[in-house]
Amino acid sequence: MPALRIGPRPLPLHLGMAATALLGGVAAAPTDGFAGAADEAERAFDEFLAGIHAYWAHPYRRAVAEPAVLWRGGSARLFDYGGAGRPVLFVPSLVNRAYILDLAPERSLVRHLAARGLRPLLLDWGAPGDAELGFDLDGYVAHRLTPAFDAAVAATGGPVGLCGYCMGGLLALALARDRTEAISSLAFMAVPWDFHTDSALAVRAAALLGAALDDTPGGLGEAPVDLLQAFFAFVQPEQVAAKFRAFAALPQDGDRARDFVALEDWLNDGVPLSGALARDCLTGWYGANRPARGEWHVAGRPVHPSAIDLPALVMIPKRDRIVPRASALPLATALANPTVHELDAGHIGMAVGRRARDEVWRPLVEWFGGAG
């Protein structure tokens, strides 16, 4: 985490969206309520700015001991959190940093599992280096995820549990297709499958970004962090201003303020994607909806969940706006041996929220055979 905070990213976009939304409310106000609406808009925008300044000034900095590294490949590392129990490999999204699953000592899914009789392994993709900038989805599965998994099996004796979070779950499915015999069971945390259900705004935003990548002269080597953050901002246009206004009202020396800053630091500590990977995700997944249509191929062969005959826990947060329930539930329907666990949480809250310990961490311990 850099010493100087620059979020919420991209800041000009968030400021502009907040101002536009507030001015729209003023313009829609009746004539006799115009002055009051204008005063309210100004007050709300001032609260938003106050929240940003409070975030920049907060003293919190992440301080978590880095675990042992079991395997390295390019910019990727496989972290080993220890423990003599059954190994479980966690595959996070490529869009955000892996440490959402190890955010702080008291808010760490993987450390919790290590203390409950499992041996969690976390794949940290890292920022793409020279090699990864040429990777598409096939490249990441073949040259990063598969070797990391094989190293986990070799180190632990296998079989290994496999848990994918968000887009990491799709990559985990591609791996499971080819390594079924070495996997004990699967778990999926907020994994999209049908990208055209309940996500019209996301589809339009993805199509726009995909077209921008395709139209860049000579091709875009990478999709910058701020471009990716802009995509999520369009999906949830009102969220950032609302949460910073709420943050401004918190006691800044309290636990809730600290937790907000820890999470916001992670959100703003993103990594770019290779241009080829971004096009695969935006045009292939969001644009063409290839997974749900049975047309998604990795290494030239289809990825069909129905062909993966492993026990699979499908965890679906009902308040998820990044991966709506209607997008995640079709994965459970498509899998050969699913167990569905729905929970009252959002996309990120399911991993680090105040109820995550009971609603997500404990079920994962039980699913993978930990000590409870």
Side-chain angles (χ1 to χ4, degrees), residues 95-118:
V95 176
N96 294 108
R97 299 277 187 179
Y99 68 83
I100 186 60
L101 300 181
D102 186 26
L103 187 64
E106 70 281 1
R107 301 181 77 193
S108 173
L109 185 158
V110 287
R111 293 178 194 268
H112 178 84
L113 267 60
R116 298 299 188 280
L118 295 170

Side-chain angles (χ1 to χ4, degrees), residues 162-300:
L162 189 63
C163 181
Y165 184 20
C166 191
M167 72 177 290
L170 289 155
L171 302 182
L173 272 171
L175 173 70
R177 181 197 63 185
D178 298 331
R179 292 290 190 274
T180 304
E181 72 288 345
I183 298 171
S184 58
S185 57
L186 298 167
F188 299 99
M189 299 171 57
V191 175
W193 189 248
D194 188 340
F195 289 82
H196 285 185
T197 301
D198 259 13
S199 56
L201 184 59
V203 169
R204 292 198 297 271
L208 180 63
L209 290 178
L213 292 174
D214 288 336
D215 291 343
T216 302
L220 190 63
E222 66 178 30
V225 174
D226 283 351
L227 182 66
L228 300 170
Q229 294 283 30
F231 167 71
F232 293 109
F234 282 118
V235 174
Q236 302 181 89
E238 76 290 345
Q239 183 189 45
V240 169
K243 71 180 181 180
F244 273 91
R245 289 175 61 192
F247 173 64
L250 292 176
Q252 293 299 300
D253 58 352
D255 291 347
R256 290 182 62 195
R258 180 206 60 208
D259 291 348
F260 175 93
V261 173
L263 190 55
E264 197 64 26
D265 282 352
W266 169 78
L267 284 168
N268 290 296
D269 188 24
V271 295
L273 297 182
S274 73
L277 175 67
R279 280 188 290 271
D280 273 356
C281 297
L282 293 171
T283 62
W285 289 351
Y286 280 95
N289 200 22
R290 286 176 185 154
R293 292 167 62 90
E295 298 171 355
W296 180 40
H297 291 69
V298 173

Side-chain angles (χ1 to χ4, degrees), residues 192 197-199 316-317 320-330:
T197 301
D198 259 13
S199 56
I316 301 176
D320 193 339
R321 297 183 65 184
I322 300 297
V323 180
R325 179 182 183 276
S327 175
L329 192 57

